[in-house]
């Protein structure tokens, strides 16, 4: 199952930073996929939409949870809000 999340540039950098702390073998495909989507897409002022699988989202959340809370709490709240909206609502 795929989900779509929208990340601003600073949020995307934070996700990559968090993923970089995990073993390379576990994250290299996800980092590559996020990078391709960032290059291919044209993020607007609200951010760039990323289409990711549920397993990759779980990996992102686990990585973010390892960073200090004060660095990630706003991003985690934004992701929670996006994921709890109904599928037809814009993120």
């Amino acid at each position: 199952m795929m989900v779509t999340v929208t990340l601003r540039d600073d949020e995307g950098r934070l996700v990559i930073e968090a993923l970089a702390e995990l073993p390379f073998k576990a994250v290299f495909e996800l980092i590559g996929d996020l990078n391709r989507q960032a290059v291919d897409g044209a993020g607007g002022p609200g951010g760039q939409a990323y289409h990711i699988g549920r397993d990759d989202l779980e990996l992102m959340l686990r990585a973010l949870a390892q960073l200090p809370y004060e660095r990630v709490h706003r991003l985690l709240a934004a992701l929670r809000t996006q994921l709890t909206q109904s599928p037809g609502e814009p993120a």
Side-chain angles (χ1 to χ4, degrees), residues 19-57:
L19 289 171
E21 295 296 321
L22 298 179
F24 180 74
K25 184 177 180 179
V27 298
F28 78 96
E29 286 183 33
L30 176 54
I31 290 173
D33 187 41
L34 293 172
N35 186 54
R36 276 189 298 281
Q37 290 187 58
V39 169
D40 292 344
Q48 167 72 35
Y50 294 90
H51 307 286
I52 57 176
R54 284 270 187 203
D55 291 342
D56 287 339
L57 177 60

Side-chain angles (χ1 to χ4, degrees), residues 12-86:
R13 285 190 296 274
L14 188 57
V15 167
I16 296 299
E17 180 182 332
L19 289 171
E21 295 296 321
L22 298 179
F24 180 74
K25 184 177 180 179
V27 298
F28 78 96
E29 286 183 33
L30 176 54
I31 290 173
D33 187 41
L34 293 172
N35 186 54
R36 276 189 298 281
Q37 290 187 58
V39 169
D40 292 344
Q48 167 72 35
Y50 294 90
H51 307 286
I52 57 176
R54 284 270 187 203
D55 291 342
D56 287 339
L57 177 60
E58 288 294 328
L59 184 58
M60 283 173 47
L61 294 174
R62 280 196 313 269
L64 287 166
Q66 293 183 25
L67 293 180
Y69 178 76
E70 56 274 356
R71 295 196 60 212
V72 299
H73 71 282
R74 286 188 188 99
L75 174 54
L76 291 173
L79 288 170
R80 187 177 305 114
T81 299
Q82 290 180 51
L83 295 173
T84 57
Q85 290 177 336
S86 66

